[in-house]
């Protein structure tokens, strides 16, 4: 399960949720490449420099969430991870 990260400001969490909802709308998915691109841009927008451990954690969480191992996250996988 995804951890609640108190270090993430509410406005940044809102950006993440809005992006994920848009990507997952109408049966869409999130690929690893899309996640890397989004989080890189989000970090830059918020003047945060992603560290190697941030990228490693992102990859780890993507793998944990991708329960059918198809390399993409669908709405049911993301919803299950958020519970």
């Amino acid at each position: 399960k995804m951890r609640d990260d108190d270090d993430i400001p509410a406005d940044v969490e809102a950006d993440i949720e809005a992006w994920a909802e848009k990507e997952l709308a109408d049966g869409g998915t999130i690929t690893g490449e899309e996640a890397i691109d989004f989080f890189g841009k989000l970090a830059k927008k918020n003047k945060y420099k992603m560290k190697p451990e941030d990228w490693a954690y992102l990859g780890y969480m993507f793998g944990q969430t991708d329960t059918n191992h198809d390399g993409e996250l669908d709405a049911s996988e993301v919803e299950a991870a958020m519970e």
Side-chain angles (χ1 to χ4, degrees), residues 26-65:
D26 302 317
T29 62
I30 297 171
T31 65
E33 187 175 334
E34 289 169 337
I36 289 168
D37 183 57
F38 170 77
F39 281 98
K41 288 177 180 171
L42 182 67
K44 190 173 189 175
K45 174 184 164 188
N46 289 282
K47 296 176 177 48
Y48 179 80
K49 177 146 177 47
M50 292 286 281
K51 300 183 280 295
E53 57 266 28
D54 295 323
W55 293 116
Y57 184 71
L58 179 63
Y60 170 77
M61 289 309 299
F62 190 94
Q64 292 296 303
T65 305

